[in-house]
Amino acid sequence: MKKLIPSYVRVPLIFALVMGAMEYFIDSGDKPAFIEYPMVALFLGVFLFLLVAIEIVVSAVDKVTYHMLSEEQKKQLEEAQSLPFTESAFYQSLSKKLTRSKEIEEEHDILLDHDYDGIKELDNVLPPWWVNLFYLTIIFAIIYLVRFHIYNDYDQATEFETEMAIAKAEVEKYKLTAPDLMDKDKVTLLTDATALAEGKKLYETNCVACHKPDGGGSIGPNLTDEHWILGGGIKNVFNTLMEGGREGKGMVSWKATIKPSDLQKVASYVLSLQGTNPPDAKPAEGDIWVDENAPKAETIKDSTVTDSTKTVAEVAIK
């Protein structure tokens, strides 16, 4: 049998299709399935070995079978293999089924009486694939008409809004498990020792040149007092690290060199320096920052007055 695709193309193609199918159906997270699950790698290795072995066996059988043929049979086989694909029996049979064309010897059955300067016309039938496709379009049109114009199912605007809502929900779900997508709205203060130790290491690598190892400030401001130029608290400090300080004279943005989850650790470590009062600290800059979202204490003062007046409670918000 003539092979249309050589073995050196067929084997990698089949292997790639099987490997792609396994990657699609096996949930392995961010890693490829053959790395996450060693059994998958073992299966792929055995499958590749079997593919190569089958090709070798088939090739050997073809050679043995060829030597067992007579000279006449060898000649017929060579003629069949040298035949172009378009002239093969398979192609001719498929073409006939798809077009229902008549052989030249049978054209007299569909010959019309029209004769234009010796040119005659054949009454060939329409190709079955074309006719069936035309019928499918009619069926589709009827279903579409009934669904969207009679029963008023969803329109394009509704479909777009639904798809956008699904996509937004998937993005939000992904963000919940993607620490490197940390932003100002999601950032929280880290207090565990491991995160603060990692933040300290990053601080010592990137920040000490301007803020000194103890946070007392050098070129940059003092990080240990209550004064902040761009606001204190984890959200403001994180945002300053991400976007940089004042334009032209402030700190550069670090989001291009340090990932957001690590900037969260640096910001948490910086806030842990509050109140350490290192020696030779730089004078305070900026304003005292007060967290507006912090709970406020209430003190009620009672005052006793004469009978002609009512008791008044004065509430002082600290």
Side-chain angles (χ1 to χ4, degrees):
M1 180 179 178
K2 183 179 180 181
K3 295 181 176 63
L4 300 177
I5 304 176
S7 59
Y8 58 82
V9 174
R10 187 166 55 250
V11 170
L13 180 61
I14 296 175
F15 180 78
L17 289 175
V18 173
M19 183 176 178
M22 297 190 73
E23 290 292 340
Y24 179 80
F25 289 107
I26 298 177
D27 185 7
S28 57
D30 297 332
K31 296 182 180 179
F34 67 91
I35 294 178
E36 184 70 16
Y37 304 107
M39 288 301 297
V40 175
L42 178 61
F43 171 81
L44 291 175
V46 172
F47 180 72
L48 180 60
F49 174 79
L50 290 176
L51 280 179
V52 175
I54 291 172
E55 290 292 337
I56 294 174
V57 171
V58 171
S59 178
V61 171
D62 286 344
K63 290 180 180 179
V64 172
T65 305
Y66 179 79
H67 288 293
M68 294 176 62
L69 298 175
S70 63
E71 292 299 325
E72 184 178 354
Q73 290 174 329
K74 290 180 180 179
K75 185 177 180 180
Q76 292 176 351
L77 179 61
E78 290 173 357
E79 289 177 354
Q81 290 181 341
S82 62
L83 192 68
F85 176 71
T86 55
E87 298 180 12
S88 63
F90 171 77
Y91 180 84
Q92 294 294 334
S93 175
L94 180 64
S95 177
K96 189 172 183 179
K97 289 179 180 178
L98 291 176
T99 61
R100 287 186 183 175
S101 59
K102 294 283 187 178
E103 299 291 342
I104 295 179
E105 295 80 6
E106 301 174 350
E107 285 186 351
H108 59 84
D109 296 332
I110 57 173
L111 188 64
L112 298 177
D113 295 333
H114 303 165
D115 190 333
Y116 304 96
D117 297 331
I119 301 175
K120 297 184 179 181
E121 183 180 358
L122 297 176
D123 187 18
N124 285 307
V125 297
L126 292 171
W129 65 267
W130 190 94
V131 175
N132 294 331
L133 184 62
F134 177 69
Y135 291 150
L136 286 176
T137 60
I138 295 176
I139 295 172
F140 175 83
I142 294 173
I143 295 174
Y144 187 91
L145 176 67
V146 172
R147 181 178 179 183
F148 293 102
H149 294 277
I150 296 178
Y151 288 98
N152 294 321
D153 204 345
Y154 64 89
D155 55 15
Q156 290 182 338
T158 304
E159 184 179 12
F160 172 78
E161 293 172 358
T162 302
E163 292 294 332
M164 289 299 294
I166 294 173
K168 185 177 180 180
E170 291 178 349
V171 169
E172 294 301 324
K173 181 179 178 181
Y174 172 74
K175 285 182 177 180
L176 294 176
T177 57
D180 284 348
L181 292 181
M182 184 66 65
D183 56 28
K184 181 181 177 181
D185 296 326
K186 292 197 310 178
V187 68
T188 56
L189 181 66
L190 302 176
T191 57
D192 59 286
T194 303
L196 293 178
E198 294 177 5
K200 179 180 180 181
K201 185 176 180 181
L202 289 167
Y203 174 88
E204 292 175 344
T205 303
N206 301 283
C207 309
V208 295
C210 297
H211 298 282
K212 297 173 67 172
D214 55 15
S218 176
I219 300 175
N222 182 357
L223 301 176
T224 64
D225 56 37
E226 296 180 350
H227 291 72
W228 296 91
I229 299 174
L230 298 176
I234 185 63
K235 294 185 181 298
N236 289 318
V237 175
F238 175 83
N239 188 65
T240 303
L241 290 171
M242 283 281 289
E243 305 300 334
R246 295 165 294 176
E247 185 176 356
K249 58 180 179 179
M251 182 180 64
V252 299
S253 170
W254 289 98
K255 62 183 178 182
T257 53
I258 303 177
K259 60 184 180 180
S261 58
D262 286 340
L263 288 178
Q264 180 187 21
K265 298 173 184 176
V266 176
S268 298
Y269 173 73
V270 167
L271 291 175
S272 71
L273 299 175
Q274 292 284 286
T276 55
N277 299 319
D280 300 324
K282 191 175 181 180
E285 299 178 67
D287 302 319
I288 294 179
W289 183 81
V290 178
D291 187 0
E292 296 178 353
N293 297 321
K296 298 177 175 60
E298 294 187 357
T299 303
I300 300 178
K301 295 182 179 180
D302 296 333
S303 59
T304 304
V305 294
T306 61
D307 293 338
S308 60
T309 60
K310 298 180 179 180
T311 302
V312 179
E314 294 179 352
V315 181
I317 308 299
K318 193 174 181 179

